[in-house]
Amino acid sequence: MAKNIVGKTIAKTVVAVIILIAIIYAVLSLIIPQHMATMYYNLGAYSAAARYASLRYTYTGNIEDLDRCANYAILSGKDKNVITFCGELLDDEDFDSYCSTKEESEDYRQHIYASIASSYYSTGDTETALEYAETALKSIDYFPVNNAAGILTVKVAEAKDGSTAAILYSFIQTWTTEKQYVPEDHALDESGEATGEDTYYSAVMSVLLDCKGGTDL
């Protein structure tokens, strides 16, 4: 009898401790979601980190917190999360000014556009993927390495998607003409360092040409 009482007491204590831990965890999640996000990020649980960063964003409305959501989502590789958080970030009225605070502002901008374009493509929404890739390139007059159109090119080539490759190839050709873009003119930066932009442009167009088939007439 005594053993049964002791056993039941221990079991009740364990359950009570578990419940208490769960309550503390829930409270901390609501009070300090930014720290929870950082903890999960450090653990490599990027989807969970994105969720807690999202909770933090609902409290603050700060674009910095939305940026964390987007980047954690990208790290998670979950297309649905990427589409949600990168979409919100791009729709934020302060996105352009926020980009300007980054050391490599255009690289950051292209990274967000490339990520959402790739995720839309992965989920089968090719039209929206192309819209994002094209929008990212239309606003500039050069072809930065790893721009959204270039990153989408990789996805399209991997899928051996000739029809989409043809659309993307045609768009970049038109953009090249409209912007009067000459790759060789962008081979070096202002300090004389090689940018790799000219060879990247050539590589992207070559991949698209090969994927779509035919010759460049």
Side-chain angles (χ1 to χ4, degrees):
M1 180 69 69
K3 289 183 178 180
N4 289 337
I5 294 175
V6 171
K8 290 180 180 180
T9 301
I10 293 174
K12 289 180 180 179
T13 301
V14 170
V15 170
V17 170
I18 292 174
I19 292 174
L20 179 61
I21 291 174
I23 292 173
I24 293 173
Y25 179 84
V27 171
L28 290 176
S29 298
L30 293 173
I31 296 176
I32 52 172
Q34 69 275 26
H35 297 304
M36 299 297 288
T38 300
M39 180 187 74
Y40 278 110
Y41 168 76
N42 291 332
L43 292 172
Y46 302 122
S47 292
R51 288 196 299 272
Y52 282 109
S54 176
L55 180 58
R56 169 69 174 176
Y57 173 65
T58 62
Y59 294 164
T60 66
N62 291 334
I63 193 170
E64 291 86 354
D65 292 316
L66 184 54
D67 178 30
R68 292 181 73 192
C69 295
N71 281 286
Y72 290 159
I74 292 169
L75 288 171
S76 77
K78 304 291 185 181
D79 291 317
K80 183 178 179 180
N81 289 343
V82 173
I83 289 170
T84 297
F85 294 124
C86 286
E88 289 183 20
L89 182 59
L90 290 171
D91 289 340
D92 193 292
E93 62 181 10
D94 294 325
F95 177 69
D96 288 335
S97 59
Y98 181 66
C99 286
S100 66
T101 67
K102 299 288 186 178
E103 185 175 349
E104 300 291 344
S105 60
E106 190 57 41
D107 287 348
Y108 168 77
R109 180 175 175 276
Q110 291 294 327
H111 174 60
I112 299 300
Y113 270 101
S115 297
I116 195 171
S118 295
S119 286
Y120 268 114
Y121 185 78
S122 294
T123 58
D125 191 344
T126 301
E127 183 177 354
T128 303
L130 286 167
E131 287 177 0
Y132 276 106
E134 292 172 3
T135 296
L137 198 58
K138 282 179 180 177
S139 63
I140 54 177
D141 57 6
Y142 63 108
F143 201 82
V145 174
N146 292 330
N147 65 67
I151 295 298
L152 184 58
T153 292
V154 175
K155 302 282 289 187
V156 170
E158 288 176 345
K160 298 180 180 179
D161 184 355
S163 58
T164 302
I167 295 171
L168 196 52
Y169 182 86
S170 178
F171 164 73
I172 296 176
Q173 273 194 321
T174 301
W175 172 87
T176 301
T177 301
E178 292 178 348
K179 299 291 185 178
Q180 298 181 332
Y181 176 76
V182 180
E184 291 74 18
D185 291 346
H186 297 264
L188 302 175
D189 62 19
E190 294 179 355
S191 64
E193 294 291 328
T195 63
E197 186 178 328
D198 53 333
T199 54
Y200 185 70
Y201 174 89
S202 298
V204 167
M205 296 302 277
S206 177
V207 168
L208 287 173
L209 184 62
D210 181 65
C211 186
K212 78 183 188 69
T215 57
D216 182 9
L217 302 178

